[in-house]
Amino acid sequence: GVLCERCGDCKAAIKRPKDGSKVCKECFYYLFETEVHHTILSKKLFNRGDKVCVAASGGKDSTVLAEVMTTLNRRYDYGLELFLLSIDEGIQGYRDDSLETVKKNREDYNLPLKILSYKDLYDWTMDDIVKAIGRRGNCTFCGVFRRQALDRGATMLKADKMVTGHNADDVAETVLLNILRGDVPRLQRCAAAQTGTDGALPRSKPLRLCYE
């Protein structure tokens, strides 16, 4: 088998999407974590003592984010207080499995978890909205409500910062969409490592340089 191009000792297990190098599992983790650590330091995303809300959907990106933030906070002694925040939109059969994953994240990484529902925040569920307005445009509504719900939840829990699991592929997709829409103000913001620094709750993307 092909040996790892970084350490030369172990068998290569994965080809890195970023540069095409063939590396073993341990080196892949090391390179990935170092990349995220570099983004956090170079962009000064956090201050010691910050209470940081990890936006947790139960998908792969937010699960990776929870793990890497926990690992780096411990390894490099950032001094952050991390917690998970998850939003239940109230779509029957849609969020159940991912909320179970988020609960598993809580156990795996020993992080506090708060689950907030649209019902708690707005007194209606996404299913109620669909009944009232139909299916057309409901994803757009849901995206706006979800973002606002995360902000409200993080503010209620007195977070200083929020982190999301957006990676380089997500950022590239958003850049292309904003070019096609001709949305210049959003184009300037969407690739930034941190947004909302002038408001009450800055949002950071520690995985923004990591490929899918």
Side-chain angles (χ1 to χ4, degrees):
V2 180
L3 287 178
C4 172
E5 291 175 16
R6 182 176 174 273
C7 68
D9 296 329
C10 304
K11 194 174 165 185
I14 191 165
K15 186 175 177 181
R16 289 192 82 213
K18 190 160 209 170
D19 56 12
S21 60
K22 298 175 183 73
V23 292
C24 66
K25 189 174 162 185
E26 278 67 30
C27 286
F28 177 79
Y29 283 146
Y30 173 79
L31 291 165
F32 172 75
E33 288 163 2
T34 305
E35 213 165 61
V36 178
H37 177 55
H38 175 71
T39 297
I40 288 169
L41 291 192
S42 64
K43 299 298 178 185
K44 300 182 174 64
L45 297 186
F46 310 113
N47 299 312
R48 189 169 191 83
D50 275 349
K51 187 173 184 181
V52 179
C53 166
V54 180
S57 66
K60 64 182 186 328
D61 293 331
S62 72
T63 299
V64 168
L65 179 67
E67 174 162 3
V68 78
M69 286 299 298
T70 305
T71 300
L72 297 179
N73 191 36
R74 189 171 54 236
R75 182 184 298 161
Y76 297 108
D77 190 27
Y78 294 159
L80 305 177
E81 184 188 339
L82 300 172
F83 70 93
L84 301 167
L85 174 62
S86 202
I87 304 300
D88 179 1
E89 300 90 343
I91 306 170
Q92 197 172 4
Y94 168 70
R95 189 50 85 193
D96 307 344
D97 287 349
S98 48
L99 284 177
E100 288 310 309
T101 303
V102 172
K103 288 171 190 170
K104 190 173 183 305
N105 293 163
R106 172 182 60 192
E107 308 307 322
D108 290 346
Y109 311 124
N110 195 27
L111 294 176
L113 165 65
K114 177 72 176 171
I115 298 173
L116 277 178
S117 68
Y118 281 7
K119 191 78 180 163
D120 296 333
L121 291 168
Y122 309 123
D123 203 30
W124 35 251
T125 66
M126 204 57 217
D127 282 348
D128 295 335
I129 290 179
V130 171
K131 273 183 198 144
I133 66 160
R135 288 184 177 276
R136 191 169 178 178
N138 61 344
C139 288
T140 306
F141 282 116
C142 192
V144 173
F145 294 144
R146 185 181 157 69
R147 185 184 171 89
Q148 190 187 58
L150 282 168
D151 282 346
R152 285 174 69 171
T155 305
M156 275 165 59
L157 296 163
K158 297 184 170 51
D160 300 299
K161 308 265 170 71
M162 187 191 298
V163 290
T164 60
H166 294 93
N167 58 37
D169 297 59
D170 299 321
V171 172
E173 193 178 292
T174 309
V175 166
L176 283 171
L177 278 170
N178 287 327
I179 288 171
L180 292 170
R181 287 181 185 137
D183 193 335
V184 177
R186 199 168 282 177
L187 192 56
Q188 289 171 317
R189 290 196 307 270
C190 69
Q194 194 167 49
T195 53
T197 46
D198 50 351
L201 187 71
R203 281 171 171 248
S204 305
K205 299 191 275 270
L207 310 183
R208 71 187 267 273
L209 298 179
C210 303
Y211 286 34
E212 186 84 43

